[in-house]
Amino acid sequence: MSDNIKEAVISFFKSRLFVLGALMTVLCLLLLYRVFTLQIVNGEEYQENYTLKIKKTRDIKSTRGNIYDRNGTLLAYNELAYTITIEDNGSYDTTAEKNESINDELYRIITKLDEFGDSIENDFSIDYVDGTYQYNVEGTSLLRFLADIFGRASTSDLKYNKNIGTNEADATAEQIMEYLMSDSYFGISDEYDPYMAYRITVLRYAMSQNSYQKYISITIASDVSDETVAYISENAYDLQGVEVSEDTIRVYNDSEYFAQIIGYTGKISSEEYEELSAENSEYSLVDIVGKAGIEQYMDSTLQGTKGSEVVYVDNLGKVIETMERTEPTAGNDVYLSIDANLQKAVYQLLEQEVAGILYDKIENITNYDVSEVESASDIIIPIDDVYYALIGNNVIDITTLNDDDSSTTEKQIYSLFSTQKSAVMTNLSSAVLSSEDTKFSDLETEYQDYITYMFDDLKNANILVSDSIDTDDEIYKEWADGDISVKTYLCYAISQGWIDITAFTVDEEYESTEEIYSDLIEYSLNDISDNKDFEKIIYKYMIHAGSISGQDLCLVLYDQGFLTYDEGNYTGLANGIVSAYDFLKDKIKNLEITPANLALDPCSASCVVTDTTTGELLAVVSYPGYDNNKLANTVDATYYASLTEDLSKPLYNYATQERTAPGSTFKMVTATAALAENIITTDTLIEDEGEFTKVTPSAKCWIYPSTHGKINVSEALRDSCNYFFYELGYDLSLSNGNYNADLGIEKLQSYASLYGLDSTTGIEIVENSPKIATEYPVRAAIGQSNNSYTTTELSRYVTAIANSGTVYNYTLLSKVTDSDGNILEEYSPEVKNTVDVLDSTEWDAIHSGMRMVVEELEAFDDFSINVAGKTGTAQTVTTRPNHALFVGYAPYESPQVSIASRIAYGYTSHNAADVSQKILAYYFGTESTEDLLNGQAADISGTTNAVTD
């Protein structure tokens, strides 16, 4: 082969080898690229295929089960809504970069939420109110929140923290917010306005709570508008980790009637998470759970089972591919024993009755002195108390009276108030700093009230340390009796260490007691000066003095939108054609202003209706109620604050939590004890002598100086003769002819226990424990002493009387079904015990006495259903009306239902009997619904001043 040919061949192969080498190099580089871009990081696969793909497994929420009444009426359900969520999945070089990026993103989203009328999800334990930060939790909940803030495993681990300059357990809301907003935490720029900075902090904190749980998003806002959905969707690739998702919100029908039973849902708290996740690992820190009532008690039943899906997302957190999906299982449905229509009717009838009492008791007088009234049944409601109630219970918002858009009338009221407040603060300062040693009791009542408020404020701030005060100290006793001056007492308190001087500013390390006292007063006056509750005291005295007129206050009801504008009424008020007195009476009569709005006596009531043959609860009603829709999903902070400040206490269940003395409704227990112990027979006659003198002090029958004559046990129940039952209480206490109070109490307790009055009823919602009397058997025998029971407990008791001795453990539940309606579990009341100490004749005697009670009640005149019952009037203090109670059952001949009704401070048991008759009329259909539920205050003329037992 020639050299030229050899060289050509060699050149050919060299070129091919070069190309092949180049190709191999490229392949190697591609392989290396693949090796370096296909990694396992934290167990997740990362792929580079034009865009970064991240593989995730995430939960899919289940649909919460519905809640129905016994007849299938829907009470709680889910409604489709759109939710905005955010997941912290970004990668940042520094904490500062992360803070700036996330904060800016949240700022943009919140700005748009504001623009479109939406709001952020906020279950943070600090509120931003009128420019200040305030805790909305207390006690152990507050300590748990602080432990979470500082990353402590337990509240006992809270310690001194140099970043806030105090012990973590004592940190103020202001200090916590400063800590969270600092560069070392969330780095919230001071360029944001305070409210914006607060909301960014709320969301950042929620995100931080999930930082250790992979791929858990938090809700920014729920049930958002279409405009918000459009904005997020259109800007999806600029908003890292933010998504619009289909979700549900919890909705409650006829909420105010059922809120106390059903409760509401909300985001799980850290305490709830710890408790629930210990039982079920499926719970996470972003779950929605039942927070109260049946929603809470049946949470695991209603929850359902979560699904899951495996997805690929891009570097912005957007889903680009779904690989696997396991569908969630819907929660089960819960049916209550409650009849929804009856529950609603009872609520409305209670409101009408309470309004009727108010309407009847309001009189056009002012500056009324209740201490001069001889009998609680004679107490009236002066019109100036009604005027003040508009401010006292926040019907009128005094914080907005001087706003730019306030009416002329509002600004006039504020101007008068401002002038008076200035004078009050000057005079108050003089009164407490004066060198004159004026006794507290010698001060004007108005200034006594101001100073009392100052002291309460100091105690609440733990500056006047209640636990340190020696109540046996002679100086303290003089103060309690009003026999020394404010200055004398507080200077002494300082010297005794009852004042925590570190809690307010002291100018010098070593000051005299006088100087510390001056600093204390300066601190106190500054602290209360802008306090709304303190300002209300000033308004109260201005109203009583006539400085602020009822006419102007009524006009403000329209100006602030509490009442729907009505030109005729408004003009009539403004021109003086309609008096403020007549105006308010008319609004109360028509329930445009309700008893709950005013929070005067009475303003609340409760009733329980039960099937006597099965023990099933048909209605458990507490008035007033509230709108649990505003607490579910995203809590309406303003609404919640209004509920907690409402003096009528709508969050309190008056049927299951309020305890009062039972009054004469207890007398069937005493009758049972006396019959069973052979103290009497059904024919035994006891003569009412008017005054029972076998104990000291003596006890009088309610009819004294008259008497009931010689009567048997049935007649004694009919007449509610205190003397007869005093005698029984006394005789039950005899041992070998000697009076033994402990023995009498022991026997009464034993028979009260037989009727279930020693324990809660078994109802699934919060219920206070009963209290059987522990002293004074003679008075305990008529339901006085320290007997104390809830309406539910009295209901179980009267149900047992109606059915001659079967005591039930109550339940609010009827059944549980799956989402297809298949019954999974049924519930019914269980028999707790039977009262088997009476024979049929003795039961008849008690039933007969109760029938005769009702036969003599005007409320039941001409009622077509025979009813048996017992009234009860329980006195608490002489300056407030008595509690009104009625327990009964119907029909008398063959009982179907029992009823227990209570109107706290309702004046007389005849009012409770009156509303009970209306409730039974509704139940049995003896009167038209339109006539009964007419939206008008009940006409109770002739009942509020009826002779009471």
Side-chain angles (χ1 to χ4, degrees):
M1 183 181 294
S2 68
D3 291 337
N4 290 337
I5 294 173
K6 288 181 179 178
E7 288 176 5
V9 170
I10 292 169
S11 176
F12 173 84
F13 280 107
K14 280 184 177 180
S15 65
R16 294 297 182 270
L17 287 170
F18 176 82
V19 171
L20 182 61
L23 287 171
M24 292 298 291
T25 301
V26 170
L27 288 172
C28 287
L29 288 172
L30 287 172
L31 181 60
L32 287 171
Y33 182 81
R34 175 66 174 171
V35 169
F36 282 105
T37 58
L38 180 58
Q39 306 174 48
I40 302 299
V41 181
N42 292 329
E44 301 298 337
E45 180 182 302
Y46 283 72
Q47 288 182 281
E48 181 64 50
N49 183 16
Y50 298 106
T51 58
L52 186 67
K53 293 169 65 177
I54 306 171
K55 183 181 178 182
K56 293 183 179 182
T57 299
R58 61 185 188 183
D59 289 337
I60 304 172
K61 293 180 181 179
S62 57
T63 302
R64 194 173 182 85
N66 295 333
I67 300 176
Y68 299 89
D69 87 330
R70 68 188 293 115
N71 301 311
T73 300
L74 186 60
L75 303 177
Y77 64 100
N78 310 296
E79 196 171 82
L80 181 65
Y82 289 104
T83 295
I84 309 302
T85 63
I86 186 170
E87 182 182 313
D88 182 5
N89 56 17
S91 177
Y92 306 95
D93 293 333
T94 65
T95 299
E97 179 189 347
K98 174 181 178 178
N99 284 338
E100 183 178 0
S101 175
I102 296 177
N103 294 344
D104 179 66
E105 185 166 276
L106 293 176
Y107 165 75
R108 286 185 287 148
I109 294 170
I110 294 171
T111 300
K112 287 299 178 180
L113 291 175
D114 289 344
E115 180 181 338
F116 301 135
D118 295 321
S119 57
I120 68 165
E121 190 98 350
N122 186 356
D123 60 355
F124 195 48
S125 295
I126 296 174
D127 290 332
Y128 183 73
V129 181
D130 298 330
T132 62
Y133 300 112
Q134 301 172 4
Y135 288 123
N136 54 37
V137 291
E138 57 186 14
T140 55
S141 295
L142 175 57
L143 291 176
R144 181 63 262 173
F145 169 68
L146 294 172
D148 290 342
I149 288 287
F150 296 109
R152 310 302 178 206
S154 168
T155 57
S156 61
D157 296 331
L158 292 168
K159 59 185 180 181
Y160 179 82
N161 189 310
K162 65 180 182 181
N163 291 316
I164 59 173
T166 188
N167 190 293
E168 292 163 346
D170 299 324
T172 66
E174 185 79 33
Q175 288 172 322
I176 293 299
M177 292 304 297
E178 289 179 3
Y179 176 70
L180 293 177
M181 291 182 184
S182 67
D183 290 341
S184 59
Y185 218 110
F186 297 141
I188 310 294
S189 170
D190 56 12
E191 293 182 3
Y192 297 120
D193 71 69
Y195 187 44
M196 177 61 73
Y198 164 76
R199 289 181 290 174
I200 292 172
T201 304
V202 168
L203 295 175
R204 288 297 308 276
Y205 180 73
M207 293 173 70
S208 73
Q209 290 297 92
N210 293 329
S211 59
Y212 63 91
Q213 292 182 300
K214 290 193 302 178
Y215 311 135
I216 299 292
S217 59
I218 68 107
T219 300
I220 294 177
S222 58
D223 192 21
V224 296
S225 62
D226 292 341
E227 291 86 351
T228 294
V229 171
Y231 168 76
I232 299 297
S233 300
E234 290 166 4
N235 294 272
Y237 284 95
D238 293 329
L239 298 170
Q240 184 164 307
V242 179
E243 282 188 352
V244 176
S245 60
E246 285 190 353
D247 201 355
T248 59
I249 59 171
R250 199 64 163 168
V251 180
Y252 301 102
N253 290 328
D254 297 317
S255 55
E256 68 177 331
Y257 308 121
F258 299 97
Q260 301 284 4
I261 294 175
I262 293 177
Y264 53 92
T265 60
K267 184 183 173 186
I268 194 170
S269 67
S270 56
E271 299 101 311
E272 289 166 336
Y273 173 72
E274 288 176 8
E275 180 181 344
L276 293 171
S277 61
E279 300 174 2
N280 184 344
S281 60
E282 282 207 353
Y283 281 102
S284 74
L285 277 169
V286 295
D287 282 347
I288 299 298
V289 298
K291 309 290 279 189
I294 293 298
E295 288 277 31
Q296 183 180 48
Y297 185 83
M298 298 295 286
D299 187 71
S300 60
T301 299
L302 293 160
Q303 275 285 349
T305 304
K306 295 175 183 174
S308 64
E309 63 180 0
V310 178
V311 298
Y312 282 109
V313 300
D314 62 17
N315 62 322
L316 292 177
K318 312 303 178 186
V319 175
I320 55 178
E321 187 177 358
T322 300
M323 301 297 293
E324 301 173 23
R325 182 178 175 91
T326 301
E327 295 298 331
T329 303
N332 296 321
D333 296 333
V334 172
Y335 287 75
L336 305 181
S337 65
I338 299 299
D339 182 314
N341 290 332
L342 179 63
Q343 179 87 3
K344 290 160 60 176
V346 172
Y347 184 97
Q348 293 170 42
L349 289 168
L350 287 175
E351 183 174 58
Q352 290 174 190
E353 190 74 23
V354 177
I357 300 170
L358 280 179
Y359 183 85
D360 185 74
K361 286 296 182 179
I362 294 172
E363 294 190 14
N364 196 16
I365 64 172
T366 59
N367 295 308
Y368 175 70
D369 188 353
V370 70
S371 65
E372 296 179 358
V373 178
E374 293 184 3
S375 171
S377 61
D378 295 330
I379 293 173
I380 61 116
I381 303 171
I383 190 61
D384 52 350
D385 279 6
V386 183
Y387 296 151
Y388 172 67
L390 298 175
I391 286 177
N393 202 35
N394 303 312
V395 177
I396 290 175
D397 185 356
I398 60 175
T399 66
T400 64
L401 291 175
N402 199 41
D403 286 358
D404 291 340
D405 59 350
S406 295
S407 68
T408 301
T409 305
E410 289 176 278
K411 290 182 176 180
Q412 286 174 346
I413 290 174
Y414 181 81
S415 177
L416 292 169
F417 163 76
S418 184
T419 300
Q420 180 63 14
K421 179 182 175 181
S422 178
V424 165
M425 296 305 294
T426 299
N427 294 338
L428 182 57
S429 177
S430 298
V432 293
L433 290 173
S434 172
S435 58
E436 297 180 15
D437 201 26
T438 305
K439 294 179 182 179
F440 178 78
S441 57
D442 289 340
L443 295 172
E444 294 178 22
T445 302
E446 178 179 353
Y447 282 86
Q448 288 182 15
D449 285 350
Y450 296 140
I451 292 168
T452 298
Y453 187 88
M454 289 175 65
F455 272 71
D456 289 341
D457 186 61
L458 290 173
K459 287 179 181 177
N460 290 335
N462 211 33
I463 292 174
L464 180 55
V465 186
S466 299
D467 292 342
S468 299
I469 298 173
D470 179 5
T471 55
D472 292 325
D473 186 282
E474 291 302 318
I475 298 296
Y476 173 81
K477 289 180 179 178
E478 287 187 63
W479 167 251
D481 292 336
D483 291 337
I484 57 175
S485 68
V486 174
K487 184 175 182 179
T488 299
Y489 173 64
L490 285 181
C491 283
Y492 183 76
I494 291 168
S495 70
Q496 296 299 303
W498 300 347
I499 301 287
D500 180 7
I501 64 175
T502 65
F504 57 92
T505 302
V506 178
D507 291 335
E508 298 177 13
E509 185 176 355
Y510 300 103
E511 288 190 302
S512 67
T513 299
E514 288 267 349
E515 290 171 321
I516 294 173
Y517 173 74
S518 295
D519 287 342
L520 173 64
I521 295 302
E522 180 181 359
Y523 167 87
S524 179
L525 291 174
N526 286 336
D527 197 51
I528 66 173
S529 63
D530 292 322
N531 185 290
K532 185 169 72 171
D533 290 331
F534 176 74
E535 291 181 338
K536 285 180 180 179
I537 302 174
I538 300 175
Y539 276 108
K540 180 178 76 171
Y541 280 98
M542 292 181 72
I543 289 168
H544 288 322
S547 304
I548 296 175
S549 71
Q551 177 194 43
D552 284 346
L553 293 170
C554 291
L555 289 171
V556 170
L557 294 176
Y558 287 113
D559 295 338
Q560 293 194 349
F562 179 82
L563 294 176
T564 303
Y565 182 75
D566 177 275
E567 185 174 357
N569 270 327
Y570 191 90
T571 304
L573 265 173
N575 295 336
I577 298 172
V578 177
S579 72
Y581 170 78
D582 290 334
F583 174 84
L584 285 175
K585 289 265 285 189
D586 179 68
K587 296 305 176 188
I588 292 168
K589 182 176 182 179
N590 293 306
L591 295 177
E592 293 176 73
I593 297 175
T594 68
N597 293 148
L598 297 174
L600 296 166
D601 288 337
C603 66
S604 65
S606 60
C607 179
V608 179
V609 181
T610 309
D611 185 319
T612 57
T613 60
T614 65
E616 291 175 285
L617 291 166
L618 305 178
V620 179
V621 180
S622 174
Y623 174 83
Y626 62 93
D627 185 358
N628 47 354
N629 287 296
K630 294 184 178 180
L631 300 187
N633 311 304
T634 301
V635 174
D636 183 330
T638 301
Y639 180 69
Y640 181 74
S642 73
L643 293 178
T644 58
E645 293 176 6
D646 193 329
L647 300 177
S648 71
K649 300 195 294 186
L651 290 172
Y652 187 74
N653 191 325
Y654 286 95
T656 65
Q657 292 179 276
E658 181 181 50
R659 295 178 302 185
T660 71
S664 293
T665 63
F666 186 82
K667 287 175 179 174
M668 287 82 77
V669 172
T670 307
T672 300
L675 289 166
E677 293 287 329
N678 297 316
I679 300 296
I680 59 169
T681 70
T682 57
D683 297 323
T684 300
L685 297 177
I686 295 176
E687 184 166 0
D688 175 9
E689 297 179 3
E691 184 174 5
F692 189 78
T693 58
K694 294 180 182 179
V695 293
T696 303
S698 62
K700 296 175 181 177
C701 187
W702 66 267
I703 202 172
Y704 181 84
S706 298
T707 73
H708 293 109
K710 282 189 175 182
I711 50 177
N712 62 28
V713 66
S714 298
E715 294 164 332
L717 286 171
R718 175 197 66 194
D719 299 335
S720 201
C721 178
N722 288 345
Y723 188 97
F724 187 98
F725 288 95
Y726 289 148
E727 184 67 59
L728 298 188
Y730 183 84
D731 291 347
L732 286 166
S733 306
L734 293 178
S735 176
N736 298 320
N738 297 315
Y739 178 72
N740 182 336
D742 290 340
L743 176 64
I745 284 295
E746 183 182 330
K747 289 182 178 178
L748 286 173
Q749 289 176 339
S750 174
Y751 288 95
S753 297
L754 275 180
Y755 283 111
L757 290 173
D758 62 336
S759 61
T760 54
T761 65
I763 200 167
E764 290 84 359
I765 57 180
V766 176
E767 182 180 30
N768 273 330
S769 297
K771 185 173 184 180
I772 306 175
T774 57
E775 56 188 5
Y776 311 128
V778 169
R779 295 189 181 276
I782 68 164
Q784 293 183 359
S785 183
N786 54 350
N787 277 303
S788 188
Y789 308 104
T790 67
T791 310
T792 45
E793 289 151 5
L794 292 177
S795 165
R796 178 164 71 170
Y797 154 58
V798 74
T799 297
I801 293 173
N803 62 39
S804 298
T806 303
V807 180
Y808 289 100
N809 278 330
Y810 280 165
T811 177
L812 284 163
L813 303 173
S814 174
K815 62 183 177 182
V816 170
T817 71
D818 63 21
S819 56
D820 294 323
N822 300 307
I823 296 176
L824 303 178
E825 189 171 2
E826 293 186 286
Y827 298 82
S828 61
E830 296 179 352
V831 175
K832 179 180 183 291
N833 65 273
T834 56
V835 182
D836 53 7
V837 297
L838 301 178
D839 61 31
S840 60
T841 301
E842 291 167 332
W843 276 118
D844 288 345
I846 292 175
H847 294 154
S848 172
M850 295 175 70
R851 173 63 189 142
M852 289 190 288
V853 169
V854 175
E855 286 177 326
E856 297 195 357
L857 289 173
E858 182 181 347
F860 288 89
D861 285 353
D862 301 321
F863 190 49
S864 60
I865 305 294
N866 289 337
V867 178
K870 185 70 193 79
T871 54
T873 301
Q875 185 178 37
T876 52
V877 293
T878 57
T879 55
R880 298 184 75 175
N882 298 326
H883 299 311
L885 299 98
F886 178 84
V887 297
Y889 60 89
Y892 168 66
E893 300 81 6
S894 180
Q896 295 178 28
V897 293
S898 68
I899 186 168
S901 302
R902 175 182 0 234
I903 304 174
Y905 306 107
Y907 284 86
T908 166
S909 59
H910 291 253
N911 291 329
D914 186 63
V915 73
S916 297
Q917 183 274 329
K918 294 181 174 72
I919 292 166
L920 291 172
Y922 176 88
Y923 180 84
F924 288 107
T926 60
E927 294 182 46
S928 72
T929 302
E930 292 75 16
D931 288 341
L932 287 168
L933 306 177
N934 56 24
Q936 297 267 315
D939 180 4
I940 57 163
S941 55
T943 64
T944 55
N945 292 314
V947 176
T948 57
D949 53 21

